[in-house]
Amino acid sequence: MRSLYSLAAVLLAAVANAVSSSGDRLLVILEDVAEKAAYSKFLADLEGRGFDIVYETPKSESLNLFNLGEKSYDHILLLPTKAKGLGPNLTPNVLLDFMNAQGNILVALTSSTSASTSIVSLLNELDIQLPTERTGLVVDHFNYDVTSAAEKHNVLLLPTPGSLRPGVKDMFSPAAPNGELIAFPNSVGQTLGSGALLAPVLRAPSTAYSYNPKEENEAIDDLFASGQQLSLVTTMQARNSARFGVIGSAESLTDKWFDAKVKKVGEKSSVKTLNQEFAKAVSGWVFNEIGVLRVNSIEHHLNEAGASNISNPKIYRIKNDVTYSIDISEFSWGKWLPFTLPESDELQLEFSMLSAFHRLNLAVSDSDEDSTTYSASFKLPDQHGIFNFLVNYKRPFYSNIEEKNTVSVRHFAHDEWTRSFAISGAWPWLAGILATSTGWLAFCAIWLYSKPVSAAAQGTKKTQ
């Protein structure tokens, strides 16, 4: 059985040699196809990473996300458009159906153009809120580019969320204090609900706030949000591991800001932005290039001397010693690697019926060039019934693992109980039983073989 799992893993690895683990068909939606020139470096990077890109406009008659019930594309990139609606083929319901079919969507917003009603409705469905009038500009009077936004302060300079090295643990870790900056011009801030599936990647500084540019000359009494309430880059992973991302500044993806040099207020020298590396990190996560986990094989078996070496049996006996192991790989930039748990994190196994009888940490038992095996050994409880081996691993920025294997646990069979004479504690009881039985037999023998008094003897005795 394990060899079959290994063969399947090899075949999957051969198929998934592209940049994305879920396919390379990418649909890019633009107001006008000619606008792709402004994003030429970003789009060229996507093509260089192996994506097959199709460019469409919302009004295109040939646009269709599904064909004969199957997805026509694996990923969608929605760039800003001036249209209030995106047409019948890009309604919120169609986009949600696309995500339910495990499609991934990346949305880019800008404060210079109002977000379409379809995008606003889709974000509301995912518990992401935009300013009420669908437009809002985030400014910061302490973290801006003095070269391009000396007056408006609308080009935010933010530290990178991580080192932007390959691997989701590095790229989405807390901000790295190394002077690396990302330029966010004309950004739209989002506020997030309490949903556990939402994960902000980049929040606004505590000194930033969002307002409506149309009210620039008026007193600002009611802010949409400010400080850490504003998320500038938001990600969400659905329960089926479909991914969704929102970048609050579409201009940050343009060629202008990929090559720009910026100077933060109070600094003496200019530095080159890391917009290109950051755009690669965010798009790589949304399009399943990093942070994708795969279960190669699962095995559980008896861990007892003399037991038959059968993998994944359907039935166990109470108090059996059992070993469970799960083999996991992580997809990162075009290849499968061994999955290493983040620091201070744990991968747990539950052995449960209605509730967990055992909850154990799985430890690394083996590792090779493309996978890691985690395992644990334990004794089954003294309870018969239907049980589940359950591994439920759900963490931000990693695809979900939920593996359940059902087995039966039976009582001891009649010939599996230990004989009484082999238990030293039972010897006094056995001796008592033997003594009682022997005494009873002796009594019966004495009683049966005792000669009764004859009738003549009885009569003579009475006459005297």
Side-chain angles (χ1 to χ4, degrees):
M1 181 64 71
R2 187 177 179 87
S3 61
L4 292 177
Y5 280 122
S6 301
L7 177 59
V10 171
L11 293 176
L12 287 174
V15 173
N17 58 1
V19 68
S20 173
S21 63
S22 59
D24 57 5
R25 299 173 300 173
L26 172 61
L27 172 66
V28 177
I29 301 296
L30 296 152
E31 175 69 22
D32 188 346
V33 176
E35 292 182 1
K36 68 179 184 180
Y39 306 92
S40 61
K41 289 191 175 181
F42 177 55
L43 298 175
D45 182 51
L46 290 172
E47 289 182 352
R49 282 147 53 186
F51 287 101
D52 181 14
I53 303 179
V54 176
Y55 299 94
E56 295 284 1
T57 64
K59 299 179 181 179
S60 174
E61 296 181 358
S62 61
L63 177 60
N64 199 342
L65 300 187
F66 294 91
N67 182 28
L68 300 177
E70 298 293 332
K71 299 194 307 289
S72 300
Y73 307 96
D74 301 305
H75 321 282
I76 298 177
L77 171 60
L78 292 168
L79 295 173
T81 61
K82 297 179 181 179
K84 292 185 177 180
L86 296 181
N89 296 319
L90 292 173
T91 62
N93 288 337
V94 173
L95 293 174
L96 287 174
D97 289 340
F98 184 77
M99 291 187 64
N100 289 333
Q102 295 186 325
N104 308 306
I105 301 176
L106 178 60
V107 177
L109 305 172
T110 179
S111 63
S112 58
T113 302
S114 297
S116 68
T117 55
S118 295
I119 296 299
V120 173
S121 298
L122 176 62
L123 295 179
N124 287 336
E125 288 286 342
L126 304 178
D127 211 7
I128 302 173
Q129 289 77 40
L130 296 181
T132 52
E133 296 187 6
R134 298 184 295 163
T135 182
L137 177 64
V138 179
V139 298
D140 189 338
H141 305 303
F142 298 90
N143 299 282
Y144 63 91
D145 179 25
V146 297
T147 304
S148 59
E151 296 182 359
K152 293 186 176 182
H153 303 174
N154 61 341
V155 180
L156 275 63
L157 297 183
L158 307 172
T160 59
S163 61
L164 299 185
R165 295 192 304 269
V168 79
K169 293 185 290 294
D170 301 313
M171 297 170 63
F172 296 118
S173 60
N178 51 9
E180 299 173 337
L181 296 175
I182 305 170
F184 257 67
N186 299 322
S187 55
V188 178
Q190 314 109 49
T191 58
L192 310 181
S194 58
L197 303 179
L198 295 171
V201 173
L202 193 64
R203 289 190 179 273
S206 58
T207 51
Y209 63 91
S210 175
Y211 78 102
N212 189 345
K214 297 179 181 178
E215 302 173 356
E216 188 171 3
N217 296 325
E218 302 177 7
I220 302 175
D221 297 326
D222 188 16
L223 291 175
F224 168 66
S226 62
Q228 296 290 307
Q229 296 174 332
L230 291 167
S231 175
L232 301 179
V233 178
T234 305
T235 61
M236 191 214 74
Q237 183 167 254
R239 300 189 187 279
N240 65 349
S241 293
R243 294 178 173 181
F244 183 86
V246 182
I247 297 178
S249 173
E251 283 88 341
S252 68
L253 305 177
T254 59
D255 298 350
K256 173 184 176 181
W257 292 102
F258 274 20
D259 297 328
K261 287 190 174 183
V262 293
K263 183 179 179 182
K264 193 173 182 179
V265 57
E267 298 292 335
K268 295 182 180 180
S269 59
S270 299
V271 295
K272 187 178 182 299
T273 66
L274 288 181
N275 283 36
Q276 187 167 4
E277 291 82 355
F278 182 67
K280 178 181 178 180
V282 175
S283 62
W285 182 84
V286 174
F287 297 152
N288 280 339
E289 297 177 74
I290 55 174
V292 179
L293 302 183
R294 181 187 69 188
V295 176
N296 301 315
S297 64
I298 294 175
E299 184 179 6
H300 52 86
H301 57 82
L302 288 172
N303 189 27
E304 298 176 351
S308 58
N309 190 20
I310 300 176
S311 297
N312 304 329
K314 294 297 183 182
I315 187 168
Y316 286 102
R317 192 205 67 209
I318 60 173
K319 297 185 179 181
N320 271 149
D321 290 319
V322 174
T323 296
Y324 176 93
S325 59
I326 182 170
D327 191 72
I328 304 176
S329 298
E330 177 184 356
F331 191 77
S332 180
W333 303 116
K335 57 183 178 180
W336 292 100
L337 302 173
F339 172 60
T340 304
L341 286 170
E343 187 177 355
S344 70
D345 197 8
E346 295 173 344
L347 180 66
Q348 291 189 330
L349 166 69
E350 287 187 4
F351 190 71
S352 59
M353 190 187 295
L354 295 177
S355 59
F357 280 70
H358 288 290
R359 186 176 287 115
L360 308 167
N361 292 334
L362 292 166
V364 176
S365 61
D366 190 15
S367 182
D368 54 32
E369 61 181 7
D370 62 354
S371 66
T372 303
T373 302
Y374 294 85
S375 64
S377 298
F378 62 100
K379 185 183 289 293
L380 298 185
D382 189 4
Q383 173 67 49
H384 72 285
I386 306 300
F387 284 82
N388 295 310
F389 292 100
L390 176 63
V391 174
N392 189 7
Y393 185 79
K394 296 177 180 177
R395 299 293 187 274
F397 308 119
Y398 284 105
S399 57
N400 300 327
I401 293 178
E402 187 171 0
E403 295 291 338
K404 182 169 68 173
N405 299 83
T406 303
V407 296
S408 299
V409 178
R410 62 174 177 82
H411 277 305
F412 280 97
H414 179 73
D415 58 353
E416 291 178 322
W417 293 99
T418 305
R419 296 299 179 183
S420 300
F421 55 78
I423 303 174
S424 59
W427 291 353
W429 302 98
L430 293 174
I433 293 172
L434 182 61
T436 302
S437 302
T438 303
W440 173 250
L441 292 174
F443 167 76
C444 292
I446 294 172
W447 185 82
L448 289 173
Y449 290 98
S450 295
K451 186 177 181 180
V453 180
S454 62
Q458 289 181 353
T460 304
K461 188 175 181 179
K462 288 180 180 179
T463 302
Q464 291 177 354

